[in-house]
Amino acid sequence: MPSEPTPISGTTDPAHACQPDQARTRQALERLLDRGLLATPVAQAGVRAVIERSWRRCVGAEVPLGRHEIPYLADVTDLQPRLHAAAAPVLDRLGDDLGDARVAMFLSDDQGRIIMRRAGESQQLRILDDSCAAEGFDFSESSMGTNGLGTVARERRPLLVHGFEHYNELLGPLTCAGTPIFEPFTGQLLGTFALACRSDHVSPLMTAMATDVGRQIEGNLTAMLGAHERTLIQAFLLATRTDRRPVVVVTENTAFGNTAGLVHVTPETHALLWCDLAESGLRAGKHRRAVRLPGGRYDALVERVDGVGPTGPAFCVRLLGSPPEPDRSSDRRRPHRRAPVRAALHPIPDISDQLRSAIGFREVLAVDGPAGSGKLTAATAALAEAAGSPPLVIDLARTECPESLDETGATAVVLHHVHDAPPEHLRRIRTAIEDTTVPVALTVDLDMAHHDASVVVAALCTTVRLPSIPEMCAEVPRLVAQIVAGLPSGQQETRFGSDALQALMRWTWPGNLAELRRIVEQLARRHAGCSISVADLPTRMQQAPLRGQGMIETAEREAIVTALRRAGGNRTKAAAALGIGRTTLYRKLKEYRIPTGG
């Protein structure tokens, strides 16, 4: 007569597993579902913070409850083949050790899709199949709610999920202990591993066992590293062995560093470095060059390592110095006085300085730039900072300019859309500006303005040009962070991953800052508090190519930069010198991301 299958721990005492009160747990979730995200914390019901955090993500994403159509992939053999190969022998050994214990093993990819299941006991198989816990099903948190695979991937740490701590009641009979599995050296999440059993068969050792299995799988992944990956690791180890300065290694999908370099391993830094270096045209070997980081440009020794993987080269970056410090000579003359901290008027500090300088010297400021580049925002902020109160904004595309700006009673005035003012109104505009005693700023798109408007601006104003986003793509991570920081509570916790930031940096942004703000606000509203990946972006942005530059492209870019410098930044003269039309030049400026501010 066959023996009765045994629980994983050999005991069914729930006390050993420190299980929560299942009825109270389910009631707490039902209250949260009924009251929504504005409900007070449910921790008083004994719900752990990590579980409540996951529940709230599920409520915000409107994850379905109960039985619903869970995404399913019939063939998972091509998903994470290296992870599958590294995990199979570990799970085989564990299955032999567990014998007839009532425990199942699961392996998922980094998206939460189950790519391997090991379970032998017939009753447990029925429970798992009824819960859709089988190969091919999507157990990501956005599909199945809180669980030991998808939530572990989101939290990136080991986690035990008891019974009705699962968001979906289909998983209520189960308790799962999961752990993340990371790519050796790079730290990239490859997938998750979980042990699952009936909630009345739980062992307090499940989490430790799952974690140990995860580390064994990572050990196998290390042993499987190929020659190209060893080359990259060798370059990293040589750089860190001979120098204690910061070292950061980047590929398209990963970034890692030594202890000094860890401060630079962020989504923003990775996006900046990868886009900068992948488009730089650097050949294999070591090169000394400046690299762009959020704090400025650093002098660095960059080694390109080819053939690391299917996504392209890798770069080992050894930082040799810090960004140049701003001139503090005036501070040294007044060592006991500290200048007040002022908000940036523009993401590029030099442009902020130009705006403040014009207003500070009581000059008429003209803020030039393409549509959506933030001209009105910059002009309004500059005048408000100087006058201490918001300026009066007069939209010349909709109304006439007053004969006297002083009689408006405003402390400062912004004349908006000067390029859209009818030609017959320009004389009045010029007279009003010349006769006023209050600070005045204009917004204008000189590329779209007719000749008479350009004459007024040239005769009266100090012009500061705002670049389009493609001209300052390196500022996109900072712009995104600034936009997110100004969002309502809950949305402020939204974070953008490196892959999403790379796609945003590559996009052409026909709507400039206005388009960027709309996209960021929309994503933060839809995925409040979550990490935004490239898959969350609009399809048209996901497909924006990362473009390397060959010899012809490099030569063309250098010719354009030279022509602009010789023309003093005048794009019409530069286009004539190059023998191309102004429209073609604008397209090339965007294509090669050539800054033309000033």
Side-chain angles (χ1 to χ4, degrees):
M1 183 175 180
S3 60
E4 177 71 17
T6 57
I8 186 173
S9 62
T11 177
T12 58
D13 182 5
H16 287 284
C18 302
Q19 296 189 58
D21 185 314
Q22 297 295 322
R24 290 182 63 194
T25 298
R26 200 65 194 175
Q27 290 171 2
L29 175 57
E30 290 171 353
R31 283 200 306 275
L32 182 62
L33 290 166
D34 182 59
R35 299 176 185 176
L37 293 176
L38 297 180
T40 55
V42 295
Q44 61 268 24
V47 178
R48 292 177 290 158
V50 65
I51 297 299
E52 179 177 352
R53 187 162 59 244
S54 174
W55 285 357
R56 289 182 177 273
R57 287 195 297 263
C58 296
V59 172
E62 299 181 348
V63 178
L65 284 168
R67 194 170 299 281
H68 64 279
E69 188 173 344
I70 301 170
Y72 174 75
L73 185 64
D75 186 4
V76 296
T77 55
D78 293 333
L79 296 180
Q80 294 285 14
R82 290 181 63 246
L83 177 60
H84 195 286
V90 180
L91 270 60
D92 288 342
R93 288 196 303 269
L94 182 59
D96 292 340
D97 293 341
L98 292 174
D100 58 358
R102 296 171 178 172
V103 62
M105 295 171 281
F106 293 91
L107 185 72
S108 84
D109 67 358
D110 59 326
Q111 302 297 315
R113 293 171 293 195
I114 299 175
I115 60 177
M116 188 185 299
R117 182 184 78 173
R118 300 288 177 85
E121 202 265 316
S122 59
Q123 183 180 9
Q124 185 183 55
L125 279 172
R126 286 194 298 272
I127 295 175
L128 296 176
D129 289 342
D130 189 59
S131 304
C132 296
E135 291 176 354
F137 283 100
D138 183 359
F139 263 56
S140 63
E141 200 176 67
S142 60
S143 170
M144 199 63 178
T146 307
N147 69 86
L149 293 171
T151 302
V152 166
R154 285 299 304 269
E155 293 286 336
R156 300 174 67 88
R157 62 182 176 118
L159 180 64
L160 183 69
V161 183
H162 293 280
F164 282 105
E165 287 182 331
H166 288 97
Y167 184 79
N168 195 314
E169 59 187 12
L170 289 177
L171 302 179
L174 302 172
T175 289
C176 302
T179 189
I181 301 172
F182 297 105
E183 175 81 44
F185 299 102
T186 70
Q188 178 186 2
L189 180 70
L190 294 181
T192 59
F193 170 79
L195 294 170
C197 66
R198 282 171 40 186
S199 293
D200 56 348
H201 291 164
V202 176
S203 165
L205 299 177
M206 280 183 64
T207 303
M209 291 178 61
T211 303
D212 181 64
V213 170
R215 302 299 79 77
Q216 291 182 51
I217 295 173
E218 290 175 353
N220 283 355
L221 287 166
T222 301
M224 292 166 57
L225 289 175
H228 292 306
E229 292 157 315
R230 291 193 181 97
T231 300
L232 175 60
I233 294 168
Q234 183 180 21
F236 171 70
L237 293 177
L238 284 174
T240 56
R241 185 179 300 130
T242 58
D243 201 331
R244 296 300 179 187
R245 285 178 285 195
V247 177
V248 179
V249 173
V250 292
T251 68
E252 183 175 6
N253 298 317
T254 60
F256 60 95
N258 62 355
T259 303
L262 286 178
V263 67
H264 300 293
V265 181
T266 67
E268 294 79 9
T269 300
H270 179 237
L272 283 172
L273 272 178
W274 174 252
C275 289
D276 182 22
L277 296 175
E279 295 185 349
S280 65
L282 288 180
R283 298 182 179 181
K286 297 180 180 179
H287 309 267
R288 184 154 183 167
R289 58 166 285 155
V291 297
R292 185 183 292 276
L293 294 175
R297 284 199 171 273
Y298 285 66
D299 187 25
L301 186 65
V302 179
E303 180 178 3
R304 172 174 172 144
V305 183
D306 288 310
V308 174
T311 58
F315 298 91
C316 183
V317 182
R318 186 188 307 179
L319 301 179
L320 303 177
S322 300
E325 291 290 333
D327 184 9
R328 303 292 186 186
S329 57
S330 59
D331 294 342
R332 297 189 196 102
R333 290 195 297 268
R334 298 188 299 273
H336 300 295
R337 297 184 63 186
R338 184 171 297 176
V341 177
R342 295 180 291 183
L345 300 178
H346 191 271
I348 298 179
D350 183 56
I351 291 180
S352 290
D353 292 343
Q354 292 178 46
L355 294 169
R356 286 194 173 99
S357 177
I359 296 297
F361 283 101
R362 304 284 293 181
E363 297 165 353
V364 179
L365 169 66
V367 183
D368 174 32
S373 57
K375 299 186 293 294
L376 180 59
T377 299
T380 302
L383 286 180
E385 182 180 273
S389 61
L392 171 68
V393 177
I394 301 174
D395 190 346
L396 299 180
R398 299 182 178 182
T399 185
E400 292 186 27
C401 178
E403 293 185 359
S404 172
L405 298 182
D406 290 352
E407 292 180 1
T408 63
T411 56
V413 177
V414 175
L415 298 179
H416 190 33
H417 290 142
V418 170
H419 55 278
D420 286 332
E424 60 269 19
H425 292 174
L426 289 174
R427 184 180 297 277
R428 172 185 284 192
I429 294 171
R430 179 167 185 163
T431 301
I433 294 173
E434 290 175 334
D435 292 346
T436 189
T437 59
V438 300
V440 178
L442 283 60
T443 71
V444 62
D445 184 349
L446 290 176
D447 291 334
M448 301 295 294
H450 48 73
H451 176 73
D452 292 342
S454 299
V455 169
V456 170
V457 172
L460 301 180
C461 304
T462 298
T463 303
V464 176
R465 185 180 183 279
L466 305 189
S468 63
I469 292 184
E471 295 176 87
M472 56 171 187
C473 62
E475 302 299 331
V476 166
R478 182 164 28 169
L479 287 168
V480 170
Q482 290 175 355
I483 294 170
V484 171
L487 297 178
S489 178
Q491 297 180 22
Q492 290 181 349
E493 285 70 46
T494 307
R495 294 294 177 264
F496 282 70
S498 175
D499 59 343
L501 291 173
Q502 289 178 48
L504 295 180
M505 292 170 68
R506 295 195 297 265
W507 182 239
T508 55
W509 298 109
N512 277 305
L513 284 170
E515 183 185 3
L516 176 63
R517 179 174 294 279
R518 180 181 62 79
I519 290 296
V520 171
E521 290 176 348
Q522 181 185 76
L523 291 169
R525 187 167 56 249
R526 292 183 178 182
H527 308 279
C530 297
S531 178
I532 304 298
S533 70
V534 68
D536 298 314
L537 302 181
T539 304
R540 66 185 188 280
M541 294 184 177
Q542 297 177 29
Q543 299 170 348
L546 181 64
R547 183 183 57 255
Q549 292 179 3
M551 293 179 64
I552 294 177
E553 289 84 0
T554 300
E556 187 173 47
R557 188 184 193 281
E558 290 177 354
I560 293 172
V561 170
T562 300
L564 280 169
R565 184 174 64 251
R566 290 177 177 175
N570 186 303
R571 285 166 287 174
T572 300
K573 293 181 179 178
L578 291 164
I580 59 177
R582 197 168 67 167
T583 302
T584 301
L585 176 61
Y586 293 161
R587 178 172 56 81
K588 294 292 185 181
L589 293 174
K590 289 184 178 181
E591 181 180 348
Y592 295 132
R593 297 174 182 171
I594 300 173
T596 59

